[in-house]
Amino acid sequence: MLTKVYGSAVFGVEATTITVEVNIDKGIGYHLVGLPDNAIKESNFRIAAALQNNGYKIPGKKITLNMAPADMRKEGSAYDLTLAIGILVASGQIKAENLEEVLIMGELSLDGSLQPIRGALPIAIKAQEDGFKKFFLPIQNAKEAAIVKDLEIYGLENIAQLIDHFEKGTELERFVVDTREEFKNSLQNPDFDFADVKGQESIKRCMEIAAAGGHNIILIGPPGAGKTMLAKRLPSILPPMTLREALETTKIHSVTGRMREHVGLIAQRPFRSPHHTISDVALVGGGAYPQPGEISLAHNGVLFLDELPEFKRTVLEVMRQPLEDREVTISRAKFTVTYPSSFMLVASMNPSPGGYFNDPDAPVVSSPAEMQRYLGKVSGPLLDRIDIHIEVTPVPFDKLSDERPAENSESIRKRVAKARDIQTERFKESSTHYNAQMHVKQIRKYCALEESSKDLLKTAMERLNLSARAYDRILKVARTIADLEGAANISGMHISEAIQYRSLDREGWLG
C-alpha cells in the first residue's frame, strides 16, 4: 500500500515542503531514500522502539520510504513522527483521512514522547503558503508556530495523541496566539540602563548618534575604562523592534534551535558577544549543513566584538561583505543559502598591546613596532566600514562617587526614536531604513554641503589622509547628528563633530 505524508525542510531561513512516500510490499527490508543524513537514517531504530512502546510495530515486510524531492538533502531528526505515521497508515495499523491537508513534524523518543524541532516558524509560514490546514508538532514549538494565522496548530506531547486523533477521532487542543498581543507582551524593559554609567558623557553622545543612525562604532580605551559596560547598554537606547523585525529575528533563532521553550516571539533586540577564539564559520555561518552564524543571530540587534585585534584576521575579513550588504550568502556545490545580517557592529580594543598608550603613568610601555603590529591586526578596509571611532578614557574618582542620577536610557531612546522617524520619512520610497544604509546616490542627495562645510571636510581629508569610504562615513554621521537636532541641512558644526569620531585615522595611532 502506498501512503503520502508531508513534512518540511529548512534551508537558510526558508522552508520547503517534503513529501514522504511510504510503500509496503511483499518481502523483507527497510529502504529509506531521498538523500537523508545519518540522523534520518537512524530514525528506524527510534521509530521501532516508540511504536513498540505504544502498542504498534514496524511490519516485517519490504518498506520503501522516499523523501521527495529526492535530489534535495534532508537533515535532522524532525522527520521521525512523519515517517512513523506514514508507516502506520501504509501498513493498515491506523486510518487517517485528508493527510494531504496535514503537515507532521517531530523527533521521537524511545517511549514515544516528542522532542522539540528546529525551524518551526518558517515551516509554519511555508505550510500556510502551500495550502495546508493543520500542523502537528511537539508542544514545545506550538506557541512559536501559532504566530502564523490561517493554519491550525496542534501541540503534541507524544505520538499516542496523534494516533488517537487519527484512529479514534480524539479532539486535540488547538494553539491560538494573538500575534500582536504576544508581541506587545514580549516587549520588556532592558536589563542594562545608561543611568548606571557615571561620567563618560562624550561616549554616551557617540552611542546616541550610533543608535540614531544605525552606525557601526569602535571604542578604544585602556582596560577598565568601561567599554564593555557601555556596549551592553546600547540595545537599551535602540528603538523598539517592529513586528516585522521581531518575525525576522524569530525565524533565524528558530532555525538554529535557540528559541526558549514556549516562547512565541523574540521582541527584544539581540545582543551577541562571541569570544575572540570564534571561527569564521561560527561567525558568518556555514558548515556542511549551513547554519546561521553570530552575525545573523545579531540581525536587527547588536554584535559586540570585544578586544577586536585578538580575533583572527581571517575571521574579521569575512565580515566585510556582510557589513556592506546586510546579508551573507553561503555557497556550496549543490545549493546556496542567504541569511539576513543587518546588525550594528560595536567593537572595542585597547589602544596598544599593553593597553595604556600615551599614558605617562602606564605600567607597560609599547614600542612603535609593537604598536604597528598590534593595530595592523585590524585591516584598513574593515575600519573604513566602521563609521565612528571614539576614545574611551577612565572615569575620574569624583565622577564615580557622584551620587547625582545620570540620564537614563528611556530619555535617550526618545531622541533616538525621533531621529529614526525623520529617517523613515526620508527613505519611505526606498529599501533604506536609516542613515548608515545610505548608498552613494542617497548620500549625494541628502548630505549636500555648503561651500564652507566642503572646505572644512576637504582640509580634514587631506590632513588625515582619509579614504573615499571614510568620506562617505563622515557625511552619514553628520546627517545623523543633524537629524538628532532636527536640522534640515548639514552645517559645518555637524561636519566638525563627525570628523572627531574618526580617531583611528589621526596621526599618532600608527606609531
Side-chain angles (χ1 to χ4, degrees), residues 205 453 456 474 477-479 481-483 485 487-501:
R205 167 69 173 171
S453 299
L456 175 63
I474 290 172
V477 173
R479 179 67 269 173
I481 296 170
D483 290 342
E485 294 184 2
N489 299 315
I490 298 174
S491 69
M493 181 178 62
H494 302 142
I495 290 290
S496 296
E497 184 175 359
I499 291 171
Q500 292 177 22
Y501 302 144

Short mmCIF file of all heavy atoms in Angstrom, two decimals, residues 205 453 456 474 477-479 481-483 485 487-501:
data_model
loop_
_atom_site.label_atom_id
_atom_site.label_comp_id
_atom_site.label_asym_id
_atom_site.label_seq_id
_atom_site.Cartn_x
_atom_site.Cartn_y
_atom_site.Cartn_z
N ARG A 205 27.16 60.33 24.13
CA ARG A 205 26.75 61.08 22.94
C ARG A 205 27.03 60.28 21.68
O ARG A 205 26.19 60.20 20.77
CB ARG A 205 27.52 62.41 22.92
CG ARG A 205 27.45 63.19 21.61
CD ARG A 205 26.08 63.75 21.35
NE ARG A 205 26.10 64.63 20.17
CZ ARG A 205 25.04 65.14 19.59
NH1 ARG A 205 23.84 64.88 20.09
NH2 ARG A 205 25.13 65.92 18.53
N SER A 453 31.38 74.17 4.50
CA SER A 453 31.45 72.81 5.04
C SER A 453 32.31 71.92 4.15
O SER A 453 33.05 71.07 4.64
CB SER A 453 30.04 72.23 5.16
OG SER A 453 29.25 72.99 6.04
N LEU A 456 35.93 72.66 4.90
CA LEU A 456 36.31 72.04 6.18
C LEU A 456 36.58 70.56 6.01
O LEU A 456 37.59 70.03 6.50
CB LEU A 456 35.19 72.27 7.21
CG LEU A 456 35.35 71.59 8.57
CD1 LEU A 456 36.57 72.14 9.29
CD2 LEU A 456 34.09 71.80 9.42
N ILE A 474 31.75 59.93 7.16
CA ILE A 474 31.65 61.23 7.84
C ILE A 474 30.34 61.92 7.46
O ILE A 474 29.64 62.47 8.31
CB ILE A 474 32.87 62.11 7.50
CG1 ILE A 474 34.13 61.54 8.16
CG2 ILE A 474 32.64 63.56 7.95
CD1 ILE A 474 35.42 62.22 7.74
N VAL A 477 27.40 60.19 9.26
CA VAL A 477 27.34 60.53 10.68
C VAL A 477 26.87 61.96 10.86
O VAL A 477 26.06 62.27 11.75
CB VAL A 477 28.71 60.30 11.34
CG1 VAL A 477 28.71 60.81 12.78
CG2 VAL A 477 29.08 58.81 11.33
N ALA A 478 27.37 62.89 10.01
CA ALA A 478 26.94 64.29 10.09
C ALA A 478 25.44 64.41 9.83
O ALA A 478 24.75 65.21 10.48
CB ALA A 478 27.73 65.12 9.08
N ARG A 479 24.91 63.61 8.89
CA ARG A 479 23.48 63.62 8.62
C ARG A 479 22.70 63.18 9.86
O ARG A 479 21.64 63.75 10.18
CB ARG A 479 23.19 62.69 7.44
CG ARG A 479 21.75 62.54 6.99
CD ARG A 479 21.17 63.80 6.40
NE ARG A 479 20.51 64.63 7.41
CZ ARG A 479 20.05 65.84 7.19
NH1 ARG A 479 20.18 66.40 6.00
NH2 ARG A 479 19.47 66.53 8.15
N ILE A 481 23.70 63.42 13.03
CA ILE A 481 23.81 64.48 14.04
C ILE A 481 22.80 65.58 13.75
O ILE A 481 22.13 66.10 14.65
CB ILE A 481 25.25 65.05 14.07
CG1 ILE A 481 26.24 63.96 14.52
CG2 ILE A 481 25.34 66.25 14.99
CD1 ILE A 481 27.69 64.34 14.36
N ALA A 482 22.67 65.93 12.47
CA ALA A 482 21.68 66.94 12.08
C ALA A 482 20.26 66.45 12.38
O ALA A 482 19.41 67.23 12.85
CB ALA A 482 21.83 67.27 10.60
N ASP A 483 19.99 65.17 12.15
CA ASP A 483 18.66 64.62 12.43
C ASP A 483 18.34 64.68 13.92
O ASP A 483 17.20 64.94 14.31
CB ASP A 483 18.56 63.18 11.93
CG ASP A 483 18.54 63.09 10.41
OD1 ASP A 483 18.26 64.11 9.76
OD2 ASP A 483 18.81 62.00 9.88
N GLU A 485 19.25 66.87 15.95
CA GLU A 485 18.93 68.27 16.26
C GLU A 485 17.70 68.76 15.51
O GLU A 485 17.27 69.90 15.70
CB GLU A 485 20.13 69.16 15.94
CG GLU A 485 21.34 68.88 16.80
CD GLU A 485 22.49 69.84 16.52
OE1 GLU A 485 22.31 70.74 15.67
OE2 GLU A 485 23.55 69.70 17.15
N ALA A 487 17.62 69.34 12.33
CA ALA A 487 18.07 70.28 11.30
C ALA A 487 17.85 69.69 9.91
O ALA A 487 18.16 68.51 9.68
CB ALA A 487 19.54 70.63 11.50
N ALA A 488 17.36 70.50 9.00
CA ALA A 488 17.12 70.02 7.64
C ALA A 488 18.41 69.86 6.85
O ALA A 488 18.54 68.96 6.02
CB ALA A 488 16.17 70.98 6.92
N ASN A 489 19.38 70.75 7.11
CA ASN A 489 20.64 70.73 6.37
C ASN A 489 21.82 70.45 7.29
O ASN A 489 21.78 70.75 8.49
CB ASN A 489 20.86 72.08 5.66
CG ASN A 489 19.76 72.38 4.66
OD1 ASN A 489 19.36 71.51 3.88
ND2 ASN A 489 19.24 73.61 4.69
N ILE A 490 22.88 69.90 6.70
CA ILE A 490 24.10 69.63 7.45
C ILE A 490 24.93 70.90 7.52
O ILE A 490 25.22 71.52 6.49
CB ILE A 490 24.92 68.51 6.78
CG1 ILE A 490 24.12 67.20 6.76
CG2 ILE A 490 26.25 68.30 7.50
CD1 ILE A 490 24.78 66.08 6.00
N SER A 491 25.33 71.30 8.71
CA SER A 491 26.14 72.50 8.89
C SER A 491 27.60 72.14 9.16
O SER A 491 27.94 70.97 9.36
CB SER A 491 25.58 73.33 10.05
OG SER A 491 25.80 72.66 11.28
N GLY A 492 28.44 73.16 9.19
CA GLY A 492 29.85 72.94 9.49
C GLY A 492 30.04 72.35 10.88
O GLY A 492 30.96 71.56 11.10
N MET A 493 29.18 72.72 11.82
CA MET A 493 29.27 72.18 13.18
C MET A 493 29.03 70.67 13.18
O MET A 493 29.72 69.92 13.89
CB MET A 493 28.23 72.88 14.06
CG MET A 493 28.24 72.44 15.51
SD MET A 493 27.04 73.37 16.49
CE MET A 493 25.50 72.90 15.68
N HIS A 494 28.09 70.23 12.37
CA HIS A 494 27.81 68.79 12.30
C HIS A 494 28.99 68.05 11.67
O HIS A 494 29.36 66.96 12.12
CB HIS A 494 26.54 68.55 11.47
CG HIS A 494 25.34 69.25 12.00
ND1 HIS A 494 24.38 69.83 11.19
CD2 HIS A 494 24.93 69.49 13.28
CE1 HIS A 494 23.43 70.38 11.93
NE2 HIS A 494 23.75 70.19 13.20
N ILE A 495 29.58 68.65 10.64
CA ILE A 495 30.75 68.04 10.00
C ILE A 495 31.92 67.96 10.97
O ILE A 495 32.61 66.93 11.06
CB ILE A 495 31.15 68.84 8.74
CG1 ILE A 495 30.11 68.66 7.63
CG2 ILE A 495 32.53 68.41 8.24
CD1 ILE A 495 30.08 67.29 7.01
N SER A 496 32.14 69.03 11.72
CA SER A 496 33.26 69.06 12.68
C SER A 496 33.12 67.96 13.72
O SER A 496 34.10 67.27 14.05
CB SER A 496 33.31 70.43 13.38
OG SER A 496 33.58 71.45 12.47
N GLU A 497 31.90 67.77 14.23
CA GLU A 497 31.70 66.72 15.23
C GLU A 497 31.91 65.35 14.62
O GLU A 497 32.53 64.47 15.23
CB GLU A 497 30.30 66.83 15.84
CG GLU A 497 30.08 65.82 16.96
CD GLU A 497 28.74 65.97 17.66
OE1 GLU A 497 27.96 66.88 17.30
OE2 GLU A 497 28.47 65.16 18.57
N ALA A 498 31.41 65.15 13.40
CA ALA A 498 31.56 63.85 12.74
C ALA A 498 33.03 63.52 12.49
O ALA A 498 33.46 62.37 12.63
CB ALA A 498 30.78 63.83 11.43
N ILE A 499 33.84 64.53 12.13
CA ILE A 499 35.27 64.31 11.88
C ILE A 499 35.97 63.86 13.16
O ILE A 499 36.89 63.03 13.13
CB ILE A 499 35.92 65.59 11.32
CG1 ILE A 499 35.40 65.86 9.91
CG2 ILE A 499 37.44 65.47 11.30
CD1 ILE A 499 35.80 67.22 9.35
N GLN A 500 35.52 64.37 14.31
CA GLN A 500 36.14 63.99 15.59
C GLN A 500 35.98 62.50 15.87
O GLN A 500 36.76 61.93 16.64
CB GLN A 500 35.51 64.78 16.73
CG GLN A 500 35.82 66.27 16.70
CD GLN A 500 35.12 67.00 17.82
OE1 GLN A 500 34.75 66.40 18.83
NE2 GLN A 500 34.91 68.31 17.64
N TYR A 501 34.97 61.88 15.27
CA TYR A 501 34.70 60.48 15.53
C TYR A 501 35.42 59.56 14.55
O TYR A 501 34.91 58.51 14.17
CB TYR A 501 33.19 60.22 15.49
CG TYR A 501 32.41 61.05 16.47
CD1 TYR A 501 31.14 61.55 16.15
CD2 TYR A 501 32.92 61.35 17.73
CE1 TYR A 501 30.42 62.32 17.05
CE2 TYR A 501 32.20 62.13 18.64
CZ TYR A 501 30.96 62.60 18.29
OH TYR A 501 30.24 63.37 19.18
#
